[in-house]
Amino acid sequence: MELFYWCGTPSEDRDCLAVLVYLRLAKADVKLTACHHPTASPSGTLPCLHSADKLIDGLDNILVHLRGESYNVDHGLTRLEQTESVALSAFVKQRLHAVMLYNLWCEENNYNAYTYGWYGRNVSFPQNFWYAASQQRSVKRSLMALSGATDLSLVKESVYCQARECLNMLSARLDGRKFFFGDRSSSLDAIVYSYLYLMHDTPLSQCPMKAHIQACPPLCTFISHMTDGYTRDIPNSVLVTSESGSQTLWQRVQHKQWWLDNHVNMASIVFAGTVMLTYAAFRGHIWSLSS
């Protein structure tokens, strides 16, 4: 098996991180291939799992496939616990996905300082000029539709309130436990970790949920335990290294992408020059100057 996953942006990396952690929990033998764009994946989407001549994309589809291939990390749970895991996973996705989207796309300081620049560097030319702005408008419309609000400020109040309630519930559930079901890992651990880690470690200037997570010791302990035990050695992973003196993933990605910025700038200059020369030729200026 081979897994193709995002290397860089948290809005896309959450599903990839959940799959990566699930594979580690299941002790699956899989080749890991980090991608800077979905087009590098055989299916054109990320995450994508190549298994037995099949391409499976999307978190839910990949987990269903892995369970069918005897990589079921929930097998040690009772039937009641499995039902509870499914319900809690859905609850977490509903509450925390919205706040992650809001932080990345609707908090203007975060969008201007981080989100817009990342997509500008990593989305191919010329789509990189409009992709982020288009995505921001789409996210705002979706969040307003889901919340039923007519004003973005009301959306903010709603998603932050619901996220805090969810984090408090998760913290209470984890208190004194290694995993959410005691000493037995589950798909719930992979899903929750993917949200908690990215909310806690993505370098955003405005992220109230990070402070809330830091105020919940069980959540911080869980993040540290999962990071050290299951994700630290993933090559080119989505993870941010927070230890003093080490470079974060985001800094490494930016360093490795300097050539991309230069190529994009050069392509822009060449494109603009070509348009100008074509227009000048059409108007006959070149011929008049040569004579």
Side-chain angles (χ1 to χ4, degrees):
M1 293 191 296
E2 182 175 7
L3 178 71
F4 298 84
Y5 62 97
W6 267 100
C7 178
T9 171
S11 63
E12 304 292 346
D13 275 341
R14 193 208 63 77
D15 283 355
C16 295
L17 181 54
V19 173
L20 286 165
V21 174
Y22 185 96
L23 288 167
R24 288 299 173 87
L25 291 173
K27 299 179 180 179
D29 183 16
V30 59
K31 177 183 176 181
L32 302 178
T33 301
C35 306
H36 288 289
H37 197 274
T39 54
S41 156
S43 67
T45 58
L46 295 170
C48 172
L49 183 69
H50 182 206
S51 174
D53 297 327
K54 294 180 181 179
L55 293 178
I56 306 98
D57 52 28
L59 171 62
D60 293 335
N61 292 334
I62 290 174
L63 295 192
V64 169
H65 175 79
L66 290 172
R67 289 174 183 131
E69 295 294 318
S70 301
Y71 295 112
N72 184 7
V73 298
D74 295 329
H75 72 278
L77 305 181
T78 66
R79 182 167 298 183
L80 177 61
E81 287 173 334
Q82 290 180 18
T83 302
E84 189 177 8
S85 176
V86 172
L88 285 173
S89 296
F91 178 74
V92 168
K93 290 178 183 179
Q94 180 189 28
R95 295 298 181 93
L96 299 187
H97 187 63
V99 77
M100 278 191 65
L101 288 177
Y102 190 92
N103 276 334
L104 287 166
W105 296 101
C106 301
E107 290 285 7
E108 290 300 325
N109 288 342
N110 294 340
Y111 174 78
N112 293 329
Y114 175 75
T115 311
Y116 182 84
W118 197 96
Y119 281 91
R121 286 188 300 273
N122 290 276
V123 175
S124 57
F125 174 84
Q127 190 181 12
N128 59 330
F129 285 107
W130 65 76
Y131 181 85
S134 174
Q135 184 73 1
Q136 185 189 46
R137 290 192 295 270
S138 177
V139 168
K140 287 181 177 180
R141 287 195 300 268
S142 297
L143 289 176
M144 291 178 69
L146 287 173
S147 65
T150 57
D151 186 87
L152 203 59
S153 63
L154 298 178
V155 174
K156 178 178 181 177
E157 181 180 343
S158 174
V159 297
Y160 280 148
C161 179
Q162 292 183 2
R164 282 191 290 269
E165 291 175 354
C166 179
L167 292 174
N168 289 339
M169 181 275 292
L170 293 174
S171 181
R173 177 66 185 256
L174 271 173
D175 194 16
R177 300 185 181 192
K178 184 178 180 181
F179 299 107
F180 281 97
F181 293 99
D183 291 329
R184 291 166 297 174
S185 61
S186 68
S187 57
L188 178 63
D189 297 295
I191 291 170
V192 172
Y193 173 74
S194 68
Y195 282 109
L196 294 182
Y197 184 89
L198 292 175
M199 286 195 297
H200 184 264
D201 283 73
T202 303
L204 302 177
S205 58
Q206 287 183 269
C207 191
M209 293 303 100
K210 178 176 181 177
H212 195 85
I213 291 173
Q214 291 174 334
C216 300
L219 297 183
C220 295
T221 301
F222 176 74
I223 293 172
S224 298
H225 161 66
M226 295 294 289
T227 300
D228 293 338
Y230 301 98
T231 63
R232 185 67 72 186
D233 60 339
I234 294 175
N236 297 318
S237 74
V238 297
L239 300 181
V240 180
T241 303
S242 58
E243 283 84 352
S244 175
S246 60
Q247 210 178 24
T248 67
L249 170 77
W250 318 103
Q251 292 170 333
R252 295 199 303 272
V253 168
Q254 290 172 359
H255 177 71
K256 292 176 181 178
Q257 291 292 321
W258 68 268
W259 60 268
L260 178 60
D261 293 333
N262 292 340
H263 279 66
V264 168
N265 291 335
M266 182 60 68
S268 302
I269 293 171
V270 171
F271 178 75
T274 302
V275 170
M276 292 172 64
L277 289 173
T278 302
Y279 178 76
F282 179 77
R283 300 285 300 202
H285 292 313
I286 290 180
W287 317 126
S288 61
L289 287 173
S290 62
S291 61

